[in-house]
Amino acid sequence: MIFQQIKSGGNKNFAYLIAGRHTAKGALVDPAPDPRRVLNAIKHRNLEIAWIINTHSHSDHAGGNDYFRKEGKNNQPVFINCPKGQKIRDGQVIDIGGVSLELIATPGHTPDSICIKAGDKLMTGDTLFVGKIGGTWTPEDAKMQWESLQKIASLPPHIEVWPGHDCGIKPNSTIGYEIQENPFFHRLSSYHEFLWLKQNWAQYKREHGIQ
């Protein structure tokens, strides 16, 4: 499997390029904020983008979609979990040229947030960063995020975490690492503890030297 993490500008955003080893077609995850950076990686590998998947609908992840609609001209990609694309079912599996992608609903940061599992790699968008998590705006959103993170935590510890932003101490980790090191997993046993930490995150970061 071809799997490439791409620095795509903005607030340290990451895009992801995925394809089978023996195909000319690939999938692109979150082609924004600067889709031209992503296009360079695609051209370097001589791939045609046949699928575009957004981890959620925020413009810094989905805003590059129209660029690839124009680039595709007569060979339009299939758009999945995009504002103008196909919606997903939790647990849905799609085949992209011999590579199976599992689409996991993880609402919280946004109602349409998903994680995308390709083999032992999990692209987490703004649901989970390395050592941190994405923001929410209401207690109800936080409750959904807590439940989504419990779903993620149930995956095998060797599964690799590939986030939507490079805002942790390293650009990727594993489920096992997050369970041991991420304050939003480590030692939290209830939603109420989780909500308290979210509401007091700025103070917690200062006290624990977290950037």
Side-chain angles (χ1 to χ4, degrees), residues 2-39:
I2 294 170
F3 181 88
Q4 184 177 350
Q5 183 185 64
I6 305 166
K7 293 181 178 180
S8 56
N11 184 21
K12 299 182 179 180
N13 280 67
F14 284 133
Y16 293 93
L17 180 61
I18 314 158
R21 281 288 178 190
H22 306 291
T23 180
K25 295 184 178 182
L28 190 57
V29 174
D30 289 349
D34 187 351
R36 292 168 298 180
R37 297 191 188 188
V38 180
L39 186 62

Side-chain angles (χ1 to χ4, degrees), residues 160-174:
E160 300 169 9
V161 172
W162 296 85
H165 293 267
D166 189 13
C167 61
I169 62 172
K170 52 185 179 178
N172 66 286
S173 67
T174 64

Side-chain angles (χ1 to χ4, degrees), residues 67-105:
Y67 183 88
F68 285 95
R69 282 191 176 93
K70 295 174 183 175
E71 279 289 320
K73 298 178 183 176
N74 296 325
N75 297 315
Q76 286 290 301
V78 175
F79 290 84
I80 299 171
N81 201 48
C82 304
K84 299 178 183 178
Q86 298 178 8
K87 304 307 176 186
I88 69 114
R89 302 184 309 276
D90 186 24
Q92 178 181 350
V93 176
I94 60 172
D95 181 88
I96 58 156
V99 176
S100 293
L101 301 183
E102 181 182 358
L103 310 181
I104 304 170

